Amino acid sequence: IRNTSVTGVQTCALPISGVARRLRDALAQPLLVEGQPVNVRASVGVALSPPDSSLPANLLRQADLAMTQAKRGGRGSVQVFHKSMDAAVHGQLHLETRLRHALDSGGLHLHYQPQVDAGTGDLLGFEALVRWTDARLGLVAPARFVPLAEEAGLIGQLGAWVLDEACRQAAAWDLRVPIAVNVSALEVAQEDFTQRVHDTLRRHGLDGGQLKLEITERLTVQDLQRVARQLAQVQALGVQLSLDDFGTGQSSVSTLLQLPLNELKLDRSLITGVAESPIEQRVVGALIGLGRSLNLTVIVEGVETPGQLQALRELGCGAVQGYLVGRPGPASMWTPQLGGPLPLELPERGGAEGGEALLN
Ligand code: C2E
Ligand code: MG
Ligand code: MG
């Protein structure tokens, strides 16, 4: 039972959280289903009348909010409603309204960050990263609004816009290397995803090989099968597939085995101390070897220092991306460089000039 909400009344003889805990514990007793023991866990949200509300509909909504909060605290928690929860929901709703407006009125734009050969600095591609600057809220990080778009059912619209704009820019640059676009698994699971990719490539006169999709692994097993099917169709168009943020999720290796992939993208959290830590060096070296043994290219993201780059080269890393090579910036920042001789120069020291300030 995952969606249990309990509305208590203040006249209850026992303190309400005690009642909720007893209810939760009663539900936690194993049940026998066709002779098999089954364990259920309940998260309990409580709202009180008064003071929270005297309207049943409001009470249920508030208990529901408390329950959502309880679930975030781990299964089996009990949470009593508090006014701050309403405020948080209003904040989310406000953000959602502003995001809808941005999507409808062209309020988003893309920044681009180069991906280069770790040894030579040859340009291997650009990653497109969505940016939203709201007139009232200022710069809102994708880590905040992309999950919101997923929850609010806006991810299809957001993803379609990003894909279209990134492909338009790749065509305008006449880019010979792939443009990498982040896609949410929820988006990939949508029925028309393959068709949308196909149509967008055609609209901009691009080959499949000029596009790479970066997938993050926040997936359930059920999604995974559908996502794998859709991705295989997209891959058949020649599109490259990269598993983003590898090393951060809990299902990294099983995801790796189940999705059709061309590239493994190691998360920056794996390489923070790679210049000096022998353990990190061994782990990263092993992951590079794992990728190779599966015939995947391996790219490391978040490379910020020459020491990290040097260590990664010694570990046999083929491709890198990060502030050391170039911060994400608008297309206009990269256009002059693309007109000149490539590769991009790998700096000896410090971050590359230009581009945005640290976002994370
Ligand atoms: P990601 O795809 O793993 O992107 C890498 C993030 O690391 C970006 O953050 C980038 O600005 C940042 N970064 C790049 N180099 C460095 C570095 O050297 N050091 C540090 N500390 N950070 C670096 P950003 O742009 O805030 O994006 C965060 C996440 O939001 C992305 O992670 C991606 O998962 C998601 N995202 C961004 N754009 C899109 C999009 O268009 N669609 C979808 N579905 N998700 C997106
Ligand atoms: Mg990415
Ligand atoms: Mg990543």
Side-chain angles (χ1 to χ4, degrees):
I1 299 170
R2 294 185 60 218
N3 294 320
T4 309
S5 49
V6 176
T7 311
V9 286
Q10 217 172 25
T11 49
C12 186
L14 289 167
I16 192 63
S17 44
V19 175
R21 274 195 290 273
R22 280 178 52 207
L23 186 60
R24 175 201 62 191
D25 295 345
L27 284 167
Q29 298 305 314
L31 304 168
L32 274 185
V33 177
E34 293 179 357
Q36 295 295 319
V38 174
N39 291 301
V40 266
R41 304 277 300 274
S43 300
V44 186
V46 180
L48 301 174
S49 172
D52 295 334
S53 177
S54 48
L55 294 174
N58 274 354
L59 274 177
L60 282 171
R61 190 181 53 79
Q62 290 162 338
D64 219 42
L65 281 178
M67 185 198 61
T68 308
Q69 197 74 13
K71 278 194 205 164
R72 288 200 185 120
R75 296 244 181 114
S77 308
V78 172
Q79 184 73 52
V80 180
F81 174 78
H82 186 270
K83 279 194 199 68
S84 62
M85 292 177 193
D86 247 348
V89 168
H90 275 128
Q92 284 293 93
L93 272 179
H94 179 61
L95 199 64
E96 187 185 317
T97 310
R98 305 292 302 166
L99 180 59
R100 276 181 203 278
H101 176 70
L103 277 165
D104 292 339
S105 61
L108 302 180
H109 58 284
L110 294 184
H111 276 186
Y112 298 88
Q113 188 179 31
Q115 304 181 328
V116 304
D117 184 291
T120 63
D122 277 327
L123 184 69
L124 301 175
F126 274 105
E127 178 175 8
L129 294 156
V130 68
R131 296 289 177 261
W132 172 28
T133 310
D134 180 83
R136 283 182 223 160
L137 305 168
L139 184 69
V140 188
R144 187 149 173 233
F145 71 84
V146 171
L148 176 71
E150 288 176 344
E151 278 168 32
L154 295 171
I155 195 66
Q157 194 184 349
L158 177 90
W161 180 81
V162 171
L163 183 66
D164 188 70
E165 176 58 15
C167 288
R168 189 199 61 73
Q169 188 58 59
W173 272 336
D174 196 14
L175 203 61
R176 302 299 155 133
V177 287
I179 192 96
V181 173
N182 291 285
V183 286
S184 146
L186 275 180
E187 211 184 320
V188 181
Q190 289 176 349
E191 284 304 325
D192 64 344
F193 182 74
T194 312
Q195 191 62 43
R196 192 198 301 162
V197 172
H198 176 264
D199 293 350
T200 310
L201 288 169
R202 275 224 353 220
R203 193 161 51 248
H204 297 288
L206 298 184
D207 292 332
Q210 288 171 276
L211 177 67
K212 180 159 76 179
L213 298 180
E214 295 194 3
I215 301 123
T216 20
E217 24 165 334
R218 269 182 293 133
L219 301 167
T220 64
V221 177
Q222 203 184 0
D223 292 334
L224 201 60
Q225 285 158 358
R226 187 199 290 218
V227 165
R229 274 198 307 274
Q230 297 273 71
L231 288 179
Q233 291 173 14
V234 173
Q235 201 177 39
L237 302 173
V239 175
Q240 304 278 301
L241 302 175
S242 177
L243 186 58
D244 205 346
D245 304 330
F246 189 73
T248 54
Q250 290 181 346
S251 61
S252 312
V253 175
S254 66
T255 312
L256 181 65
L257 295 174
Q258 289 180 67
L259 295 184
L261 295 167
N262 307 93
E263 182 181 88
L264 198 56
K265 192 165 188 187
L266 302 190
D267 190 70
R268 71 184 154 90
S269 58
L270 295 167
I271 59 132
T272 41
V274 77
E276 53 282 332
S277 154
I279 292 185
E280 268 190 40
Q281 287 161 9
R282 261 176 258 153
V283 170
V284 173
L287 291 176
I288 291 172
L290 173 70
R292 282 239 188 83
S293 65
L294 296 171
N295 279 332
L296 304 174
T297 59
V298 178
I299 180 165
V300 175
E301 65 181 330
V303 180
E304 295 181 351
T305 67
Q308 288 172 330
L309 178 64
Q310 189 50 37
L312 291 169
R313 281 175 173 155
E314 284 164 18
L315 291 168
C317 167
V320 290
Q321 177 181 350
Y323 294 163
L324 181 71
V325 180
R327 287 171 186 264
S332 58
M333 190 180 100
W334 297 110
T335 306
Q337 302 214 39
L338 291 172
L342 291 172
L344 297 178
E345 205 178 313
L346 284 181
E348 290 301 314
R349 211 147 23 102
E353 296 282 310
E356 62 197 18
L358 269 169
L359 280 172
N360 300 304

